Amino acid sequence: MGTDFGRDNGADSRTSRSTWGSWGWMRRRQKAAASTDADAARERLRLLQEAAAAGFPLAPAAHPADYRCSCDRIGCPTPGRHPVSFAWQTQSTTDRAQVESWARAQPQANFITATGTTHDVLDVPADAGRSALERLLSEGVDVGPVAETSDGRLLFFTATRGTPEDEDEWWPCELDCHPETMDEHPGLRWHCRGSYVLVPPARLPGDGSVRWVRGPERPLPDPLTLLEALTDACARHADEGADHASVAWPLRH
């Protein structure tokens, strides 16, 4: 009887050790995941604050929810790519404390940067953009910040064409996004007043992303110093039979 008791006790001990080992492994895994999430949150905040420090006005945006959008709009045409608030133009700010508050309160949110006040963005197909970037750098042109979207666009950040003090010189973005302008600037969209782009780091549906190729700390160039190379590259890209029928985001929301 004593022998049986001892044998049972040993089996229980082995089961106990196995159970505690499993719990320990799970706790270590959860701790590692929490640490990774915390690192990602810190990196996200760092990049957002760098963009704000560079003078890019930021505002919270929607984010992907599986292949849908986090907003409540049924069939959202630009999931994860549009501002949360309809007042995004007045809400956008470079105040780092406000950006940090938004980032901590909305840990899943993407952010947009409003164009046309401190900067514009030249938005081109990625293949054309990479070709133009190589040409510009080889010619010694000072190219500013550049971001890349995983769905095939390159975003060149430039100085703006207008200022709030010079209202007559504003060039609304709508002038560039109508279909009839595509023959003049194939595949290129100029984001200025009334527009916005996602600012890295941002997530797109299907595990996509928006990331910096050249960081926001770089000085903003005059857009005209980039325009010839970008339009030439877009024209070559179009001649090679690339499909430019896809809509350049963002759509009006």
Side-chain angles (χ1 to χ4, degrees), residues 109-142:
N110 288 333
F111 279 75
I112 59 96
T113 177
T115 53
T117 55
T118 61
H119 69 293
D120 290 352
V121 171
L122 300 176
D123 173 353
V124 299
D127 288 343
R130 283 189 285 266
S131 175
L133 179 60
E134 183 178 350
R135 169 185 164 182
L136 289 163
L137 293 177
S138 70
E139 293 175 352
V141 176
D142 290 330

XYZ file of all heavy atoms in Angstrom, residues 109-142:
246
model
N -4.871 53.418 -33.920
C -5.161 54.406 -34.960
C -3.976 54.661 -35.871
O -2.822 54.718 -35.421
C -5.605 55.721 -34.320
N -4.267 54.833 -37.160
C -3.316 55.451 -38.067
C -3.397 56.964 -37.874
O -4.295 57.470 -37.198
C -3.655 55.109 -39.520
C -3.339 53.662 -39.870
O -2.453 53.043 -39.276
N -4.064 53.117 -40.834
N -2.464 57.683 -38.495
C -2.496 59.140 -38.473
C -2.345 59.666 -39.886
O -1.611 59.090 -40.694
C -1.383 59.713 -37.588
C -1.723 59.710 -36.125
C -1.699 58.533 -35.391
C -2.087 60.877 -35.469
C -2.022 58.514 -34.042
C -2.412 60.877 -34.122
C -2.384 59.692 -33.410
N -3.055 60.748 -40.168
C -2.859 61.453 -41.434
C -2.095 62.742 -41.162
O -2.075 63.258 -40.024
C -4.196 61.771 -42.135
C -5.113 62.646 -41.243
C -4.893 60.496 -42.559
C -5.047 64.126 -41.512
N -1.458 63.270 -42.205
C -0.899 64.608 -42.131
C -1.595 65.459 -43.177
O -1.712 65.065 -44.347
C 0.626 64.618 -42.338
O 1.091 65.984 -42.331
C 1.049 63.958 -43.634
N -2.106 66.601 -42.742
C -2.817 67.514 -43.637
C -1.806 68.269 -44.494
O -0.835 68.829 -43.981
C -3.658 68.492 -42.822
N -2.019 68.269 -45.796
C -1.098 68.939 -46.707
C -1.610 70.340 -47.051
O -2.779 70.652 -46.866
C -0.926 68.115 -47.996
O -2.213 67.836 -48.562
C -0.232 66.798 -47.700
N -0.692 71.163 -47.560
C -1.072 72.477 -48.041
C -0.867 73.618 -47.081
O -1.141 74.764 -47.424
N -0.398 73.329 -45.864
C -0.107 74.420 -44.923
C 1.397 74.539 -44.688
O 1.963 75.613 -44.824
C -0.822 74.207 -43.581
O -0.480 72.914 -43.061
C -2.329 74.294 -43.753
N 2.034 73.436 -44.342
C 3.484 73.455 -44.144
C 4.211 72.614 -45.177
O 5.416 72.775 -45.365
C 3.858 72.924 -42.750
O 3.421 71.563 -42.629
C 3.204 73.758 -41.662
N 3.481 71.716 -45.835
C 4.128 70.845 -46.813
C 3.098 70.326 -47.807
O 1.903 70.333 -47.544
C 4.804 69.660 -46.116
C 3.828 68.682 -45.519
N 3.007 68.998 -44.448
C 3.518 67.402 -45.845
C 2.262 67.959 -44.141
N 2.537 66.978 -44.973
N 3.588 69.910 -48.970
C 2.789 69.207 -49.964
C 3.353 67.794 -50.100
O 4.416 67.483 -49.549
C 2.855 69.905 -51.325
C 2.131 71.247 -51.337
O 1.445 71.576 -50.346
O 2.261 71.968 -52.350
N 2.652 66.968 -50.848
C 3.141 65.614 -51.120
C 2.887 65.287 -52.581
O 1.760 65.457 -53.082
C 2.449 64.563 -50.225
C 2.818 63.145 -50.669
C 2.844 64.753 -48.759
N 3.924 64.836 -53.268
C 3.806 64.330 -54.636
C 3.687 62.818 -54.545
O 4.599 62.140 -54.070
C 5.020 64.750 -55.468
C 5.231 66.262 -55.592
C 6.525 66.562 -56.346
C 4.059 66.925 -56.285
N 2.579 62.301 -55.026
C 2.165 60.913 -54.823
C 2.200 60.206 -56.179
O 1.457 60.563 -57.090
C 0.749 60.958 -54.230
C 0.063 59.615 -54.104
O 0.597 58.602 -54.586
O -1.037 59.581 -53.530
N 3.095 59.223 -56.346
C 3.314 58.589 -57.651
C 3.343 57.072 -57.511
O 3.565 56.539 -56.416
C 4.632 59.075 -58.287
C 4.607 60.574 -58.518
C 5.840 58.697 -57.424
N 3.157 56.340 -58.623
C 3.314 54.885 -58.569
C 4.722 54.515 -58.093
O 5.703 55.188 -58.424
C 3.088 54.446 -60.019
C 2.262 55.539 -60.618
C 2.728 56.802 -59.951
N 4.810 53.449 -57.318
C 6.071 53.103 -56.657
C 7.205 52.861 -57.649
O 8.333 53.325 -57.436
C 5.871 51.885 -55.768
N 6.943 52.143 -58.740
C 8.016 51.864 -59.701
C 8.547 53.147 -60.312
O 9.765 53.336 -60.449
C 7.510 50.924 -60.796
C 7.298 49.502 -60.298
O 7.831 49.174 -59.221
O 6.612 48.730 -60.987
N 7.634 54.036 -60.697
C 8.053 55.323 -61.246
C 8.786 56.138 -60.187
O 9.797 56.795 -60.476
C 6.838 56.095 -61.764
N 8.278 56.108 -58.963
C 8.905 56.861 -57.882
C 10.318 56.397 -57.587
O 11.220 57.217 -57.374
N 10.532 55.093 -57.576
C 11.879 54.579 -57.307
C 12.839 54.966 -58.423
O 14.003 55.314 -58.166
C 11.831 53.067 -57.124
C 11.299 52.636 -55.761
C 11.459 51.147 -55.541
N 10.481 50.381 -56.293
C 9.324 49.975 -55.803
N 8.982 50.289 -54.562
N 8.486 49.264 -56.545
N 12.372 54.914 -59.667
C 13.205 55.323 -60.799
C 13.563 56.802 -60.702
O 14.724 57.196 -60.902
C 12.463 55.038 -62.108
O 13.178 55.529 -63.217
N 12.573 57.634 -60.370
C 12.818 59.067 -60.238
C 13.751 59.356 -59.065
O 14.638 60.216 -59.169
C 11.496 59.804 -60.056
N 13.564 58.647 -57.956
C 14.413 58.862 -56.788
C 15.870 58.547 -57.110
O 16.780 59.308 -56.737
C 13.919 57.993 -55.630
C 14.718 58.075 -54.328
C 14.728 59.498 -53.792
C 14.126 57.128 -53.293
N 16.096 57.456 -57.828
C 17.466 57.099 -58.215
C 18.077 58.182 -59.093
O 19.233 58.567 -58.914
C 17.441 55.757 -58.943
C 18.817 55.249 -59.337
C 18.763 53.887 -60.012
O 17.677 53.256 -60.011
O 19.804 53.457 -60.549
N 17.299 58.689 -60.033
C 17.791 59.752 -60.924
C 18.100 61.016 -60.134
O 19.167 61.627 -60.318
C 16.743 60.040 -61.998
C 17.033 61.302 -62.815
C 15.908 61.606 -63.789
N 15.984 62.975 -64.287
C 15.093 63.517 -65.121
N 14.076 62.798 -65.561
N 15.240 64.780 -65.519
N 17.183 61.422 -59.275
C 17.367 62.660 -58.521
C 18.608 62.588 -57.630
O 19.392 63.547 -57.558
C 16.125 62.940 -57.676
C 14.874 63.357 -58.459
C 13.631 63.211 -57.598
C 15.012 64.802 -58.959
N 18.786 61.460 -56.946
C 19.944 61.332 -56.065
C 21.242 61.304 -56.867
O 22.254 61.872 -56.439
C 19.813 60.058 -55.217
C 18.666 60.064 -54.189
C 18.594 58.725 -53.469
C 18.839 61.196 -53.192
N 21.224 60.673 -58.041
C 22.432 60.626 -58.874
C 22.798 62.003 -59.407
O 23.971 62.283 -59.685
C 22.233 59.649 -60.037
O 21.297 60.154 -60.978
N 21.777 62.878 -59.539
C 22.026 64.246 -60.019
C 22.344 65.207 -58.882
O 22.539 66.396 -59.103
C 20.789 64.747 -60.786
C 20.540 64.002 -62.095
C 19.247 64.425 -62.773
O 18.467 65.186 -62.135
O 19.013 64.008 -63.912
N 22.387 64.687 -57.656
C 22.721 65.523 -56.508
C 21.594 66.408 -56.036
O 21.834 67.388 -55.304
N 20.363 66.097 -56.412
C 19.213 66.893 -55.972
C 18.900 66.558 -54.515
O 18.953 65.391 -54.108
C 17.987 66.599 -56.859
C 16.755 67.348 -56.344
C 18.273 66.978 -58.307
N 18.606 67.577 -53.746
C 18.248 67.366 -52.338
C 16.800 66.888 -52.252
O 15.860 67.689 -52.285
C 18.413 68.669 -51.539
C 19.880 69.057 -51.379
O 20.720 68.147 -51.342
O 20.158 70.270 -51.296
